[in-house]
Amino acid sequence: MTRSLDSLTEVARDFDAIVLDQWGVLHDGTRPYPGAVQAVERLKALTRLAVLSNSGKRADVNLDRIAAKGFAPDLFDVVMTSGEALWLDLTRQGKALSLYAIEGHPGDAAVWAKGLDITLVDDPTTADAILLMGLPENAETAAYMAILNATGALPVYCTNPDRASPRAGGVTVTSPGALAHTHAEAGGRVIFYGKPHTAVFRAVADALGAVPERLLMVGDSFEHDIAGGHGAGWSTAFVEGGLHTARFANADRMETVQTLAQEAAAPPPNFTLRSLS
């Protein structure tokens, strides 16, 4: 049974840490949601906090991005991203790779690759693998799908499994996961890093030194946050005012939560709340 909350402070002391998604929970990609900064400050007084984001960038870059939106860096005990998880994995493997990068902004991949034995190439046919870490805003995805299709034999490291991301004004944009899933369904080899895959949840739990039963995942995606948290053995809280904002307009909240869970083939969340504020 999903319990409706006015605020996460109602249950914060029941957990050793609360793990927050970034887009759709803390901010809309442009600015923090109203009251979100103050909500995080109140939660920090009650328990430890972490951020777990399907971002292709490194954790320190995302912490800087969060701080630029008004969240003090010391509010979070751990920041983990899917890009960080891949970077750590490649560090452990210690092998040289040539990668063709699909990135949100020119230079993102170069920043991400620092410290690794990685060569970034301009021609995908000369690469060992494709790094799918981001898409430019309002990108025409057909061109990027053509690249993936033309290099179908190469593995694709997808460090943002999200199919869509929320933006200001209730707008959603296509995210790299949409391309990666389409490519995988067509027979391409895709290696996903990030939610809902259990490894990234385990990495956060290890960094926090907490057992799954004492962790709460807070997010706006049933496919990634709710299903992923449930699969890792965590409790989950769904934020209605993110990716699915439009679905809650003039609709019964609990019925909509149940419908969204069914559509995503995800378990219902333990908790639901309108926003983090």
PDB file of all heavy atoms in Angstrom, residues 152-168:
ATOM      1  N   GLY A 152      26.978  -1.098 -35.543  1.00  0.00           N
ATOM      2  CA  GLY A 152      26.211  -2.045 -34.741  1.00  0.00           C
ATOM      3  C   GLY A 152      27.024  -3.124 -34.063  1.00  0.00           C
ATOM      4  O   GLY A 152      26.588  -3.692 -33.058  1.00  0.00           O
ATOM      5  N   ALA A 153      28.207  -3.433 -34.570  1.00  0.00           N
ATOM      6  CA  ALA A 153      29.027  -4.482 -33.966  1.00  0.00           C
ATOM      7  C   ALA A 153      29.768  -3.990 -32.721  1.00  0.00           C
ATOM      8  O   ALA A 153      30.251  -4.792 -31.923  1.00  0.00           O
ATOM      9  CB  ALA A 153      30.026  -5.018 -34.989  1.00  0.00           C
ATOM     10  N   LEU A 154      29.871  -2.674 -32.562  1.00  0.00           N
ATOM     11  CA  LEU A 154      30.614  -2.125 -31.430  1.00  0.00           C
ATOM     12  C   LEU A 154      29.755  -2.093 -30.170  1.00  0.00           C
ATOM     13  O   LEU A 154      28.557  -1.831 -30.244  1.00  0.00           O
ATOM     14  CB  LEU A 154      31.086  -0.696 -31.731  1.00  0.00           C
ATOM     15  CG  LEU A 154      32.128  -0.502 -32.830  1.00  0.00           C
ATOM     16  CD1 LEU A 154      32.464   0.976 -32.944  1.00  0.00           C
ATOM     17  CD2 LEU A 154      33.380  -1.316 -32.538  1.00  0.00           C
ATOM     18  N   PRO A 155      30.360  -2.337 -29.012  1.00  0.00           N
ATOM     19  CA  PRO A 155      29.607  -2.150 -27.772  1.00  0.00           C
ATOM     20  C   PRO A 155      29.319  -0.672 -27.544  1.00  0.00           C
ATOM     21  O   PRO A 155      30.121   0.197 -27.915  1.00  0.00           O
ATOM     22  CB  PRO A 155      30.542  -2.709 -26.699  1.00  0.00           C
ATOM     23  CG  PRO A 155      31.910  -2.629 -27.291  1.00  0.00           C
ATOM     24  CD  PRO A 155      31.732  -2.812 -28.772  1.00  0.00           C
ATOM     25  N   VAL A 156      28.178  -0.389 -26.949  1.00  0.00           N
ATOM     26  CA  VAL A 156      27.785   0.975 -26.613  1.00  0.00           C
ATOM     27  C   VAL A 156      27.704   1.070 -25.092  1.00  0.00           C
ATOM     28  O   VAL A 156      26.925   0.345 -24.462  1.00  0.00           O
ATOM     29  CB  VAL A 156      26.426   1.349 -27.231  1.00  0.00           C
ATOM     30  CG1 VAL A 156      25.988   2.738 -26.763  1.00  0.00           C
ATOM     31  CG2 VAL A 156      26.493   1.283 -28.747  1.00  0.00           C
ATOM     32  N   TYR A 157      28.522   1.941 -24.508  1.00  0.00           N
ATOM     33  CA  TYR A 157      28.411   2.238 -23.082  1.00  0.00           C
ATOM     34  C   TYR A 157      27.407   3.374 -22.921  1.00  0.00           C
ATOM     35  O   TYR A 157      27.677   4.511 -23.314  1.00  0.00           O
ATOM     36  CB  TYR A 157      29.756   2.669 -22.506  1.00  0.00           C
ATOM     37  CG  TYR A 157      30.806   1.593 -22.463  1.00  0.00           C
ATOM     38  CD1 TYR A 157      31.911   1.631 -23.319  1.00  0.00           C
ATOM     39  CD2 TYR A 157      30.718   0.536 -21.560  1.00  0.00           C
ATOM     40  CE1 TYR A 157      32.885   0.657 -23.275  1.00  0.00           C
ATOM     41  CE2 TYR A 157      31.689  -0.454 -21.521  1.00  0.00           C
ATOM     42  CZ  TYR A 157      32.767  -0.392 -22.371  1.00  0.00           C
ATOM     43  OH  TYR A 157      33.740  -1.354 -22.335  1.00  0.00           O
ATOM     44  N   CYS A 158      26.249   3.067 -22.358  1.00  0.00           N
ATOM     45  CA  CYS A 158      25.237   4.104 -22.140  1.00  0.00           C
ATOM     46  C   CYS A 158      25.278   4.518 -20.679  1.00  0.00           C
ATOM     47  O   CYS A 158      24.938   3.727 -19.789  1.00  0.00           O
ATOM     48  CB  CYS A 158      23.849   3.593 -22.502  1.00  0.00           C
ATOM     49  SG  CYS A 158      22.542   4.807 -22.171  1.00  0.00           S
ATOM     50  N   THR A 159      25.678   5.759 -20.441  1.00  0.00           N
ATOM     51  CA  THR A 159      25.792   6.238 -19.064  1.00  0.00           C
ATOM     52  C   THR A 159      24.644   7.163 -18.666  1.00  0.00           C
ATOM     53  O   THR A 159      24.732   7.860 -17.654  1.00  0.00           O
ATOM     54  CB  THR A 159      27.142   6.947 -18.840  1.00  0.00           C
ATOM     55  OG1 THR A 159      27.309   7.990 -19.810  1.00  0.00           O
ATOM     56  CG2 THR A 159      28.288   5.972 -18.931  1.00  0.00           C
ATOM     57  N   ASN A 160      23.596   7.154 -19.467  1.00  0.00           N
ATOM     58  CA  ASN A 160      22.343   7.805 -19.052  1.00  0.00           C
ATOM     59  C   ASN A 160      21.190   6.963 -19.567  1.00  0.00           C
ATOM     60  O   ASN A 160      20.700   7.180 -20.675  1.00  0.00           O
ATOM     61  CB  ASN A 160      22.247   9.237 -19.579  1.00  0.00           C
ATOM     62  CG  ASN A 160      21.012   9.962 -19.044  1.00  0.00           C
ATOM     63  OD1 ASN A 160      20.082   9.335 -18.550  1.00  0.00           O
ATOM     64  ND2 ASN A 160      21.003  11.276 -19.154  1.00  0.00           N
ATOM     65  N   PRO A 161      20.721   5.974 -18.776  1.00  0.00           N
ATOM     66  CA  PRO A 161      19.650   5.084 -19.231  1.00  0.00           C
ATOM     67  C   PRO A 161      18.275   5.743 -19.300  1.00  0.00           C
ATOM     68  O   PRO A 161      17.320   5.102 -19.741  1.00  0.00           O
ATOM     69  CB  PRO A 161      19.652   3.961 -18.183  1.00  0.00           C
ATOM     70  CG  PRO A 161      20.980   4.045 -17.502  1.00  0.00           C
ATOM     71  CD  PRO A 161      21.322   5.500 -17.521  1.00  0.00           C
ATOM     72  N   ASP A 162      18.146   7.004 -18.850  1.00  0.00           N
ATOM     73  CA  ASP A 162      16.845   7.675 -18.906  1.00  0.00           C
ATOM     74  C   ASP A 162      16.385   7.790 -20.359  1.00  0.00           C
ATOM     75  O   ASP A 162      17.155   8.179 -21.242  1.00  0.00           O
ATOM     76  CB  ASP A 162      16.920   9.075 -18.312  1.00  0.00           C
ATOM     77  CG  ASP A 162      17.069   9.063 -16.801  1.00  0.00           C
ATOM     78  OD1 ASP A 162      16.967   7.981 -16.203  1.00  0.00           O
ATOM     79  OD2 ASP A 162      17.291  10.141 -16.226  1.00  0.00           O
ATOM     80  N   ARG A 163      15.095   7.506 -20.586  1.00  0.00           N
ATOM     81  CA  ARG A 163      14.515   7.679 -21.911  1.00  0.00           C
ATOM     82  C   ARG A 163      14.083   9.131 -22.139  1.00  0.00           C
ATOM     83  O   ARG A 163      14.034   9.603 -23.272  1.00  0.00           O
ATOM     84  CB  ARG A 163      13.310   6.754 -22.081  1.00  0.00           C
ATOM     85  CG  ARG A 163      13.643   5.269 -21.978  1.00  0.00           C
ATOM     86  CD  ARG A 163      12.377   4.445 -22.002  1.00  0.00           C
ATOM     87  NE  ARG A 163      12.602   3.058 -21.663  1.00  0.00           N
ATOM     88  CZ  ARG A 163      12.736   2.071 -22.548  1.00  0.00           C
ATOM     89  NH1 ARG A 163      12.663   2.338 -23.835  1.00  0.00           N
ATOM     90  NH2 ARG A 163      12.919   0.833 -22.155  1.00  0.00           N
ATOM     91  N   ALA A 164      13.725   9.826 -21.052  1.00  0.00           N
ATOM     92  CA  ALA A 164      13.299  11.227 -21.138  1.00  0.00           C
ATOM     93  C   ALA A 164      13.674  11.920 -19.842  1.00  0.00           C
ATOM     94  O   ALA A 164      13.820  11.283 -18.800  1.00  0.00           O
ATOM     95  CB  ALA A 164      11.803  11.332 -21.383  1.00  0.00           C
ATOM     96  N   SER A 165      13.841  13.241 -19.907  1.00  0.00           N
ATOM     97  CA  SER A 165      14.178  14.030 -18.730  1.00  0.00           C
ATOM     98  C   SER A 165      13.281  15.252 -18.660  1.00  0.00           C
ATOM     99  O   SER A 165      12.930  15.840 -19.693  1.00  0.00           O
ATOM    100  CB  SER A 165      15.642  14.488 -18.779  1.00  0.00           C
ATOM    101  OG  SER A 165      16.516  13.383 -18.713  1.00  0.00           O
ATOM    102  N   PRO A 166      12.898  15.661 -17.433  1.00  0.00           N
ATOM    103  CA  PRO A 166      12.055  16.849 -17.292  1.00  0.00           C
ATOM    104  C   PRO A 166      12.852  18.124 -17.467  1.00  0.00           C
ATOM    105  O   PRO A 166      14.048  18.184 -17.159  1.00  0.00           O
ATOM    106  CB  PRO A 166      11.523  16.723 -15.861  1.00  0.00           C
ATOM    107  CG  PRO A 166      12.589  15.966 -15.139  1.00  0.00           C
ATOM    108  CD  PRO A 166      13.179  15.018 -16.136  1.00  0.00           C
ATOM    109  N   ARG A 167      12.179  19.152 -17.974  1.00  0.00           N
ATOM    110  CA  ARG A 167      12.759  20.478 -18.098  1.00  0.00           C
ATOM    111  C   ARG A 167      11.754  21.497 -17.573  1.00  0.00           C
ATOM    112  O   ARG A 167      10.632  21.149 -17.203  1.00  0.00           O
ATOM    113  CB  ARG A 167      13.121  20.789 -19.557  1.00  0.00           C
ATOM    114  CG  ARG A 167      14.261  19.934 -20.100  1.00  0.00           C
ATOM    115  CD  ARG A 167      15.579  20.240 -19.427  1.00  0.00           C
ATOM    116  NE  ARG A 167      16.699  19.536 -20.036  1.00  0.00           N
ATOM    117  CZ  ARG A 167      17.152  18.355 -19.632  1.00  0.00           C
ATOM    118  NH1 ARG A 167      16.534  17.723 -18.639  1.00  0.00           N
ATOM    119  NH2 ARG A 167      18.189  17.792 -20.211  1.00  0.00           N
ATOM    120  N   ALA A 168      12.163  22.741 -17.536  1.00  0.00           N
ATOM    121  CA  ALA A 168      11.312  23.797 -16.993  1.00  0.00           C
ATOM    122  C   ALA A 168       9.979  23.857 -17.730  1.00  0.00           C
ATOM    123  O   ALA A 168       9.905  23.590 -18.936  1.00  0.00           O
ATOM    124  CB  ALA A 168      12.029  25.146 -17.095  1.00  0.00           C
TER     125      ALA A 168
END
